Amino acid sequence: MSEAAIPVERTALLIVDLQNDFLHPEGAYGRAGQGAPEITALPERVKPLADLLRAKGGYVASTQFTLVPAKGGEPLISPHLKQLRPFLTKGDFQPGAWGHELVDVLQPADLTVEKIAYSAFYMTRLEWVLRKCGIERLLVCGIVTNGGVASTVRDAHVRDFDTVVLEDGCAAFSPAVQATAIDALRPVCRVASISEVMREIEDA
């Protein structure tokens, strides 16, 4: 199905991991001094598109990275993540906690799905929810472009979702990594700007 044939009612803004624990100064990454201005700027940049989709009858979906608490509340952290982010601890990215939530400026999400790995499709109910809601087109934004965004976009592609990655709606920890990640996604899906997509929705 061509992109032009997919109505806005079957379109979702898929927000990857724009959570308090990643972005807020008092979140897990903020407390550890881990962040980038490009990442912090994303919610306000994405908000106009989220608002437009809501007004036009589309969906806003949020995937939320999750550290599943196990015995004694200690989080299950994969070895590679523990090595990469040794500051992660009990209570971080915990389901139901403030840090786990979508940032305030983008709330509320119509659909929320917990994720445990880079891809929002891996061992989650995301595909089931999208199919049940009749969603065929995904506008993907969030963090990080070379991690969760790229993995989710590729998994959406192999599931035949019409997928657009919003170049200025996602970010990495450095501009160089961002540019490389976006270029690597061009053979997989359409790459567009937020303003470009907003114009198309307004003109539909």
Side-chain angles (χ1 to χ4, degrees):
M1 181 179 288
S2 69
E3 181 180 298
I6 300 175
V8 68
E9 294 85 359
R10 293 184 175 272
T11 298
L13 175 66
L14 186 61
I15 303 171
V16 180
D17 300 357
L18 293 184
Q19 299 160 258
N20 290 321
D21 264 338
F22 277 126
L23 273 72
H24 197 281
E26 296 176 13
Y29 275 57
R31 295 192 308 269
Q34 300 286 317
E38 295 85 358
I39 290 174
T40 305
L42 286 180
E44 291 290 349
R45 192 179 301 148
V46 170
K47 179 177 166 52
L49 175 56
D51 290 342
L52 178 62
L53 267 176
R54 291 186 183 103
K56 295 284 190 177
Y59 285 83
V60 174
S62 173
T63 75
Q64 287 163 227
F65 178 68
T66 304
L67 293 179
V68 178
K71 194 171 185 178
E74 290 298 327
L76 298 173
I77 305 177
S78 60
H80 88 276
L81 182 60
K82 188 174 290 188
Q83 184 175 14
L84 194 65
R85 307 290 186 227
F87 56 84
L88 291 174
T89 188
K90 184 176 179 178
D92 293 342
F93 297 98
Q94 181 175 311
W98 168 83
H100 186 255
E101 294 176 356
L102 176 67
V103 294
D104 287 348
V105 72
L106 292 174
Q107 290 203 39
D110 300 305
L111 306 169
T112 301
V113 174
E114 293 180 7
K115 63 190 276 284
I116 56 169
Y118 283 137
S119 173
F121 287 95
Y122 177 72
M123 297 184 73
T124 76
R125 63 183 184 222
L126 179 59
E127 183 175 7
W128 183 87
V129 167
L130 295 175
R131 303 287 188 203
K132 285 290 185 181
C133 292
I135 294 167
E136 301 172 11
R137 183 186 184 202
L138 299 176
L139 310 174
V140 185
C141 65
I143 57 172
V144 286
T145 314
N146 54 305
V149 172
S151 296
T152 299
V153 164
R154 288 188 170 91
D155 275 357
H157 170 76
V158 299
R159 287 166 173 80
D160 287 332
F161 286 98
D162 189 287
T163 307
V164 179
V165 65
L166 300 170
E167 184 171 10
D168 54 347
C170 55
F173 281 101
S174 79
V177 172
Q178 166 75 1
T180 299
I182 288 292
D183 283 345
L185 289 174
R186 292 186 192 279
V188 179
C189 68
R190 179 186 169 199
V191 175
S193 68
I194 292 171
S195 61
E196 184 180 355
V197 169
M198 287 183 68
R199 284 194 301 271
E200 292 170 0
I201 293 172
E202 287 167 341
D203 294 342

